[in-house]
Amino acid sequence: LTVTVSEGLEIPGFGKSIKIKVVNAIQTIQVEIMASNGNLIDTLSFPATGKGEFEQPWFIPRETIPGKYIVKVKDAQNTAETSFDVK
């Protein structure tokens, strides 16, 4: 199970986004987006494709304070995490 985060689009009225990509997933993927202090910001749940992949944009809430954030993913058997910075 591997998760990567890249810069997404910025859409007027919605703000900036990141693109969350997961590969080698089994069944449903649970995604947690957390502040570096462990505070939970958002949770998402999506089924993996037949190839075990998942790609989804996530819009950063406007009130988000600049800093480091963590994306943690879990499928039926494994967990993985990565981080991204909000500027």
Side-chain angles (χ1 to χ4, degrees), residues 2-80:
T2 305
V3 59
T4 57
V5 172
S6 58
E7 190 172 326
L9 300 172
E10 183 170 355
I11 299 175
F14 291 95
K16 293 181 180 181
S17 69
I18 58 170
K19 183 168 56 173
I20 302 168
K21 183 174 183 178
V22 177
V23 295
N24 299 322
I26 299 169
Q27 300 174 342
T28 301
I29 302 162
Q30 305 290 330
V31 180
E32 293 182 337
I33 300 168
M34 299 176 287
S36 59
N37 65 4
N39 285 349
L40 187 64
I41 306 295
D42 202 357
T43 58
L44 310 168
S45 179
F46 297 95
T49 66
K51 294 180 180 181
E53 298 177 349
F54 157 82
E55 191 170 317
Q56 179 71 33
W58 180 75
F59 284 91
I60 300 166
R62 289 187 180 136
E63 66 275 6
T64 302
I65 297 168
K68 184 174 286 292
Y69 291 82
I70 299 163
V71 175
K72 184 175 183 178
V73 297
K74 182 169 75 170
D75 68 6
Q77 296 180 351
N78 300 295
T79 61

